[in-house]
Amino acid sequence: MSTPFGKFFLPGPTEVRPEILAAQAKPMMGHRSSKTEDLLGRMEAPLKAVFRTERPVMMAAASATGFMEAGIRNGVRQKVLCLVNGAFSQRFADIAKACGKETLVEKVPEGETFEAPRVRELLARHAPDAVTIVHSESATGALSPIAEISAAVHEAGDVMLIVDGVTSVAGSPVEVDQWRLDFLVTGSQKAMALPPGLAFGVASERMMARARTIPGRGIYFDLVPYDEQIRKRQTPYTPAVSLLYALAAQVELIATEGIENRWKRHDAMRSRVEQWVAQHAASLGIGMLPREGRRSWTVSCVKLPEGGQAGTAVSKAMSARGITIASGYGKNKETTFRIGHMGDHTVAELEVVLENLTEVLRG
Ligand SMILES: *Cc1c(COP(=O)(O)O)cnc(C)c1O
């Protein structure tokens, strides 16, 4: 029934260790019971270490998009600037519009990133009260310079920075406190290597202060009760109890590895793909979509040669070999393929993926 670990390289959901899956198979507990409080209490410190924060880590039974919506509902007073460089950053703009916020969309070509000087210019031009950005744009494999962009946003004063860290948290450096991120979102099924179904969010003090003044926050994604309850080791609504068991087991494993070592392991995988692409660039006509220095540590997006195999054909051929990778996404669906090397994967397992890809691409 179970296939060996190390064959499933989607940019989400990612592969979950059998022992983490098994950790879920425990009896239910009442979410107002001391058992849940103990479990949430035990997780507090290791979770804060993952997010590099002293702030509470809020959790909801939702996919990451749920807390992206929470970021908009609680962090945008009126006018939000959405920095779009791919499908997931576009999602923030779609949510903001759907929540009735005045939404200014600025774009750079897919595979590229916004840089701090351009963000300064856009802030001066549009005077938004919040900015959204995706740290690691999983659709293109581009990694944005969030620390620098956050500094630019803070220079503008009372402007909230709402960050999607869905494929960066637990896979590459994310320093919530040091970088002064106002709201950071992730989901359980990416570099945390858990089953899907939990959204995580960390809000700055000024974000929570603003949230309390914004009308129309709704109910389920109103962050005020999440913030209040998690301080009491509770959740406002029924948590995904089974996922909490898995999370408790996983944060222990992450603490044992050490978050910085976990980042390094991902960096080694990023660098191995880079090296493989360079080695075969001439013979196979492949290249990385984002430029050097702006490549995600968790998702590599590789350009295919014109007139060659399509992205979906490559992922299909890999799947016939028992290995799951992803085609491109959106506009780049057929011109690229993506390897999600995150969570608990290692370079050794990635080698097998790259060997098979070399054969597939040789045709
Ligand atoms: C996967 C992903 C999301 C969406 O997460 P869901 O859990 O499906 O809501 C958002 N942003 C990025 C960058 C992602 O990779």
Side-chain angles (χ1 to χ4, degrees):
M1 189 190 95
S2 64
T3 49
F5 185 87
K7 297 280 187 265
F8 191 81
F9 284 75
L10 282 188
T14 53
E15 201 161 355
V16 181
R17 285 182 189 281
E19 62 266 38
I20 298 298
L21 286 173
Q24 296 179 97
K26 290 192 192 113
M28 287 301 120
M29 54 186 174
H31 63 287
R32 301 287 173 228
S33 72
S34 61
K35 275 189 183 167
T36 302
E37 281 184 24
D38 290 347
L39 191 72
L40 289 173
R42 251 188 290 139
M43 283 194 253
E44 197 180 304
L47 258 183
K48 286 181 174 181
V50 170
F51 291 84
R52 307 281 267 198
T53 188
E54 295 301 321
R55 304 278 308 158
V57 178
M58 299 178 273
M59 274 178 267
S63 89
T65 305
F67 265 5
M68 289 172 80
E69 181 163 334
I72 299 289
R73 286 186 177 276
N74 293 264
V76 181
R77 201 176 285 134
Q78 201 175 347
K79 187 157 85 160
V80 59
L81 169 63
C82 298
L83 303 175
V84 174
N85 64 339
F88 292 104
S89 36
Q90 177 62 44
R91 182 171 297 179
F92 261 140
D94 297 342
I95 294 169
K97 274 182 223 150
C99 290
K101 308 289 183 183
E102 186 182 338
T103 308
L104 301 157
V105 179
E106 288 286 349
K107 292 188 180 181
V108 292
E110 296 206 355
E112 294 182 15
T113 53
F114 284 87
E115 302 296 320
R118 173 128 167 83
V119 173
R120 276 194 193 91
E121 243 174 69
L122 293 171
L123 285 164
R125 189 184 319 152
H126 297 303
D129 63 69
V131 175
T132 65
I133 190 164
V134 172
H135 189 190
S136 161
E137 177 46 92
S138 320
T140 67
L143 188 70
S144 290
I146 293 292
E148 292 156 36
I149 288 171
S150 182
V153 171
H154 279 268
E155 283 163 25
D158 190 24
V159 180
M160 296 297 141
L161 180 61
I162 301 166
V163 181
D164 168 335
V166 179
T167 52
S168 60
V169 172
S172 62
V174 176
E175 301 277 1
V176 172
D177 289 358
Q178 196 189 318
W179 295 352
R180 297 191 291 163
L181 309 181
D182 289 300
F183 191 56
L184 175 82
V185 187
T186 192
S188 49
Q189 82 278 23
K190 305 281 171 108
M192 305 268 292
L194 289 161
L198 282 180
F200 300 91
V202 181
S204 68
E205 224 172 292
R206 65 174 198 161
M207 171 87 175
M208 289 314 304
R210 176 181 284 191
R212 286 186 277 270
T213 69
I214 295 181
R217 302 194 298 278
I219 295 285
Y220 196 65
F221 294 123
D222 176 1
L223 291 176
V224 175
Y226 285 97
D227 180 68
E228 280 169 8
Q229 294 278 312
I230 198 66
R231 291 166 189 275
K232 294 186 253 170
R233 299 174 170 177
Q234 296 230 348
T235 56
Y237 316 107
T238 314
V241 172
S242 312
L243 287 172
L244 291 186
Y245 293 137
L247 175 65
Q250 182 66 336
V251 291
E252 239 175 75
L253 290 183
I254 295 175
T256 304
E257 181 180 21
I259 189 69
E260 291 180 8
N261 290 331
R262 191 175 180 87
W263 296 340
K264 277 187 204 143
R265 179 164 51 75
H266 284 81
D267 193 30
M269 290 191 279
R270 176 201 61 74
S271 148
R272 179 64 189 110
V273 174
E274 225 167 48
Q275 190 189 18
W276 172 80
V277 168
Q279 187 190 342
H280 297 283
S283 59
L284 298 176
I286 53 176
M288 299 293 298
L289 182 64
R291 73 170 165 92
E292 201 178 343
R294 290 289 179 266
R295 293 174 189 156
S296 168
W297 295 17
T298 61
V299 185
S300 290
C301 185
V302 180
K303 282 187 289 185
L304 288 160
E306 253 176 73
Q309 293 175 72
T312 46
V314 173
S315 64
K316 213 170 145 192
M318 287 296 281
S319 137
R321 290 163 174 259
I323 296 171
T324 305
I325 62 161
S327 66
Y329 195 101
K331 260 190 262 176
N332 305 306
K333 189 176 174 75
E334 300 299 5
T335 55
T336 65
F337 64 85
R338 293 170 305 146
I339 310 169
H341 37 74
M342 69 180 109
D344 291 331
H345 288 143
T346 63
V347 170
E349 292 145 1
L350 181 63
E351 287 301 344
V352 179
V353 177
L354 297 177
E355 266 166 44
N356 278 275
L357 265 170
T358 311
E359 289 173 13
V360 163
L361 293 173
R362 278 190 185 132

